Amino acid sequence: MTSGDHLLGLIQNTPEIDLLLRSSFGFDIGRKHHGDGLRLASGAPLEPMAGESAGGAYFLCTEQDGRRPVVFASSEGEGGLIADDLADALEIIIGLAWQDCLRFSGGGDVEVMQVSAQHLERSRDKYNPEIFREGARVATVLSLRVLPVPELVVRLQEAASRTEPDYVVTTDDGDVYDPLFGEYSAPRHGGWR
């Protein structure tokens, strides 16, 4: 059993953590059907493990050196590597508004991502004042680390930068997903507020 299998088992058997991950962090192990018909461009299989309410899906890849990398595919056609294993992915998911950090990354520029992350964290805290406490609760139960946002940004940027060539997401028909990095450095209408 890999550490990813162990973590998924803990989530499944701890309803409070399953609920927090689903409701506050967009990681729902009950939505494994999201992402049907996707694989890696190399032909390697993707194992669906969770989904999110917007239609995106999280996948475990084939084990490498005792770790199973994690790929995310959005419902809008972006996809790629987000972490080297499930523990790393969950630390990013609970500690960072990671999807928007990638969306407003200036094409993958880590400095732009750091600025975006600062704005996004303030917004996340404003709309859910309990988010940091909830993330700490998930981390404690799952034996994850609570890491500073700048470190999480670097880890996410490094992982997403390694998407090509091994973690490019495709459909069964051969359509290739776009990279996870968005071109914008801030929201287009009004910038960061």
Side-chain angles (χ1 to χ4, degrees), residues 87-106:
D88 286 351
L90 287 170
E91 288 170 355
I92 289 168
I93 290 165
I94 66 172
L96 180 66
W98 71 273
Q99 289 187 55
D100 284 334
C101 190
L102 287 168
R103 188 170 291 120
F104 301 111
S105 69

Side-chain angles (χ1 to χ4, degrees), residues 26-168:
F27 185 87
D28 184 353
I29 62 172
R31 291 182 184 253
K32 289 182 185 178
H33 62 281
H34 282 33
D36 287 343
L38 298 180
R39 60 180 174 79
L40 295 178
S42 66
L46 289 170
E47 179 185 329
M49 68 169 154
E52 45 122 33
S53 61
Y58 296 90
F59 301 91
L60 287 170
C61 299
T62 304
E63 186 176 333
Q64 298 175 0
D65 301 322
R67 301 175 88 183
R68 294 188 71 190
V70 176
V71 164
F72 178 78
S74 78
S75 60
E76 290 83 33
E78 297 97 14
L81 184 68
I82 63 168
D84 291 328
D85 65 19
L86 183 55
D88 286 351
L90 287 170
E91 288 170 355
I92 289 168
I93 290 165
I94 66 172
L96 180 66
W98 71 273
Q99 289 187 55
D100 284 334
C101 190
L102 287 168
R103 188 170 291 120
F104 301 111
S105 69
D109 184 313
V110 73
E111 291 178 14
V112 171
M113 291 176 71
Q114 293 289 3
V115 171
S116 295
Q118 291 172 9
H119 291 288
L120 291 163
E121 290 309 297
R122 284 195 295 274
S123 176
R124 191 164 94 147
D125 185 41
K126 177 181 174 183
Y127 292 105
N128 183 357
E130 296 296 311
I131 194 82
F132 298 109
R133 184 190 62 75
E134 292 169 349
R137 177 72 182 134
V138 171
T140 297
V141 172
L142 299 181
S143 300
L144 303 172
R145 299 169 294 174
V146 176
L147 298 170
V149 167
E151 184 176 336
L152 293 171
V153 169
V154 168
R155 288 172 52 193
L156 177 61
Q157 192 271 347
E158 288 175 350
S161 293
R162 289 184 283 120
T163 293
E164 290 186 31
D166 297 328
Y167 300 102
V168 174

